[in-house]
Amino acid sequence: MIKEIDLKSKTIDNLVAIASQFDVEGQIVEIQAFGNGNINDTFLVTLRNSTQKHVILQRINTHVFHQPELVMQNVRVFTDHATQRLQDWSSDRRWEIPSVILTQDNREYWMNAEGAFWRAISFIEAAQSFDTITDCDRAREAGYALGTFHNLISDLPPEKLAVTLEGFHITPRYLQQYDAALAKHDKSKSPEIDFCLQFIQTRRNWVSVLEDAKISGELPLRLMHGDPKVNNVLFDTNTGRAVSVIDLDTLMPGLIHYDIGDCLRSSCNSLGEETQQWQEVRFETELAQSILQGYISQAKNFLTEKDYEYIYDSIRLLAFELGLRFFTDYLVGNVHFSKVKYAEHNLVRALVQFQLTQSIETQQSPICAIVRDLKQGLK
Ligand code: ADP
Ligand code: GN1
Ligand code: MG
């Protein structure tokens, strides 16, 4: 938790000074650490005498995002486009798009002398995120949220957005990084490490499944969110309905299958990514059915036959890929996922994802049947 400790030791005055760089109305009454994101440092700023009750203040992790100004550029292109699209939206449902709050001198971010990169984002009021999902209604809403998000960007050409994280979700690249890490690793052997090594070894030849489909043209390059895990979806606190997809840092050209897989791998694991009971982790197909129902209700107009064919692979691959990323990061000493609470944290996170992958594999038939039935139901 090096970064968090370092931030907590900053005086609140420092954070107030940073928040004051942005064009926020009224007086700042409180600033507190907020949310459970793995990458950025997020704060909730509470205001008085202001039309905005709160704003989100974030320090972008520049060890992960080397060109954070490009991230902000992408966010602006998206928010401008989606806000425009929303004006012609026929649905009367609540849907919110977070907006960038500019600095006092009209910039999208503020940097201090040491290069810390800060931004402010409008806070979506009367909404909350969850780290896990346990019921089908919420699962359907999570799927609806991703479908709505994809729908909003379905007419925005991919080349309008920059690649802000080279190799993100290119699973064969993660395998190369893993091989390089393994060549250097000096961790003592343990049954858990052996399990991970073996698990990766037996799936090596399959990791390019989505990249191959991209290269062959079976799956087109589109825009993706990149990180639609469950706690990046906000739900209305009164109605429980999904109202926004946040965390737009990895919005860039890619495959929508990375998003579909990531949404399902994260939402259908009711023990959550952070459980230490990794042997108990299961992929819950009932939740998957509801998510896909919600998703397809919004995405059916742009999904192709091939898109449906790769849904099962995308779920299996994204769980495996995240396990591989966590395990590699454990081997190299917690570089990307640096917010660790204990030495083996990234190892345990990897075990959770590998256990989830195994559970997905053993349920291939029912998962494929769900996809087939939902697709047939559209006819
Ligand atoms: P990270 O990249 O570290 O995951 P996020 O952008 O996802 O950071 O923010 C972390 C958490 O803060 C989210 O899971 C959510 O709970 C909360 N959050 C972030 N932005 C907003 C927003 N605009 N409105 C409401 N809550 C937000
Ligand atoms: C990170 O920032 P956060 O917590 O929403 C990560 C995702 C992982 C996720 C796993 C930029 O997302 O790729 O799937 O953790 N984001 C980045 O919890 O690496
Ligand atoms: Mg997040």
Side-chain angles (χ1 to χ4, degrees):
M1 293 286 270
I2 298 159
K3 260 194 290 140
E4 284 218 329
I5 289 165
D6 156 339
L7 268 168
K8 278 179 192 148
S9 69
K10 275 178 187 267
T11 62
I12 194 78
D13 289 350
N14 258 345
L15 287 169
V16 170
I18 294 164
S20 306
Q21 300 297 323
F22 294 90
D23 188 16
V24 289
E25 288 170 41
Q27 291 150 271
I28 296 169
V29 283
E30 193 183 17
I31 302 188
Q32 62 195 54
F34 195 65
N36 291 330
N38 283 334
I39 303 293
N40 297 317
D41 294 309
T42 305
F43 298 89
L44 181 67
V45 180
T46 306
L47 301 161
R48 193 167 40 206
N49 301 331
S50 167
T51 45
Q52 311 149 296
K53 289 200 190 102
H54 303 96
V55 297
I56 289 284
L57 182 67
Q58 273 184 326
R59 183 168 80 165
I60 305 243
N61 184 333
T62 46
H63 297 290
V64 170
F65 296 103
H66 299 301
Q67 290 179 285
E69 55 299 321
L70 272 190
V71 171
M72 296 313 289
Q73 187 184 300
N74 278 359
V75 171
R76 280 293 289 275
V77 174
F78 163 77
T79 53
D80 289 352
H81 177 84
T83 308
Q84 188 69 37
R85 279 283 310 276
L86 211 53
Q87 283 170 5
D88 312 322
W89 217 236
S90 51
S91 165
D92 53 5
R93 277 186 59 147
R94 176 182 175 201
W95 190 261
E96 310 257 353
I97 296 162
S99 58
V100 175
I101 298 171
L102 299 179
T103 61
Q104 305 283 2
D105 56 355
N106 271 330
R107 292 167 159 271
E108 286 161 349
Y109 54 88
W110 179 80
M111 268 170 86
N112 74 3
E114 290 85 49
F117 190 104
W118 290 86
R119 70 169 170 206
I121 305 221
S122 64
F123 181 71
I124 315 270
E125 298 283 353
Q128 57 189 318
S129 64
F130 299 93
D131 290 325
T132 54
I133 289 188
T134 47
D135 71 274
C136 289
D137 289 339
R138 193 168 291 154
R140 195 169 304 103
E141 286 299 309
Y144 171 92
L146 183 63
T148 301
F149 189 88
H150 281 171
N151 206 342
L152 283 168
I153 52 176
S154 60
D155 61 340
L156 181 60
E159 60 277 10
K160 296 261 179 181
L161 296 198
V163 173
T164 49
L165 210 49
E166 205 56 59
F168 194 54
H169 293 313
I170 313 289
T171 320
R173 291 259 305 245
Y174 291 119
L175 193 63
Q176 282 169 9
Q177 287 166 7
Y178 160 75
D179 285 338
L182 205 55
K184 289 193 220 142
H185 113 284
D186 58 358
K187 301 267 182 236
S188 53
K189 289 271 183 178
S190 70
E192 288 80 14
I193 291 178
D194 283 343
F195 172 84
C196 292
L197 297 174
Q198 191 58 29
F199 198 85
I200 296 165
Q201 185 57 29
T202 51
R203 287 159 184 81
R204 292 187 78 89
N205 296 333
W206 154 81
V207 302
S208 61
V209 58
L210 291 186
E211 292 318 294
D212 291 345
K214 185 166 78 184
I215 292 162
S216 70
E218 285 188 295
L219 296 179
L221 189 76
R222 293 169 165 133
L223 286 177
M224 60 165 184
H225 179 280
D227 187 9
K229 71 170 183 181
V230 59
N231 71 14
N232 288 330
V233 177
L234 297 182
F235 299 83
D236 186 295
T237 30
N238 298 315
T239 64
R241 301 187 102 183
V243 292
S244 190
V245 182
I246 55 162
D247 199 348
L248 305 171
D249 302 333
T250 50
L251 177 63
M252 61 177 134
L255 296 177
I256 57 168
H257 286 70
Y258 303 147
D259 284 352
I260 299 171
D262 197 56
C263 174
L264 278 120
R265 68 119 202 113
S266 110
S267 307
C268 300
N269 162 14
S270 60
L271 289 181
E273 286 179 24
E274 293 296 320
T275 182
Q276 297 199 21
Q277 311 302 115
W278 62 272
Q279 275 127 329
E280 310 302 318
V281 168
R282 298 282 171 274
F283 181 84
E284 284 159 54
T285 47
E286 269 187 26
L287 295 177
Q289 181 176 32
S290 299
I291 292 173
L292 287 169
Q293 234 168 35
Y295 179 72
I296 291 170
S297 75
Q298 296 307 298
K300 55 181 184 276
N301 291 341
F302 58 81
L303 290 180
T304 66
E305 282 288 316
K306 282 286 169 205
D307 285 334
Y308 287 98
E309 274 177 35
Y310 280 97
I311 288 180
Y312 166 75
D313 278 312
S314 74
I315 306 169
R316 179 183 173 206
L317 188 70
L318 268 285
F320 175 80
E321 180 193 277
L322 186 58
L324 180 65
R325 292 172 65 200
F326 281 140
F327 186 55
T328 306
D329 217 43
Y330 167 71
L331 295 177
V332 299
N334 313 317
V335 176
H336 186 95
F337 296 104
S338 56
K339 294 186 184 188
V340 284
K341 298 199 170 98
Y342 54 96
E344 313 290 297
H345 197 160
N346 279 325
L347 173 62
V348 175
R349 285 168 164 165
L351 291 164
V352 169
Q353 295 303 317
F354 288 151
Q355 182 69 23
L356 188 65
T357 309
Q358 214 158 39
S359 174
I360 293 164
E361 290 166 349
T362 58
Q363 299 183 84
Q364 176 171 3
S365 297
I367 296 171
C368 290
I370 288 169
V371 174
R372 197 184 49 235
D373 291 350
L374 287 171
K375 195 177 108 205
Q376 262 161 15
L378 296 173
K379 288 184 182 152

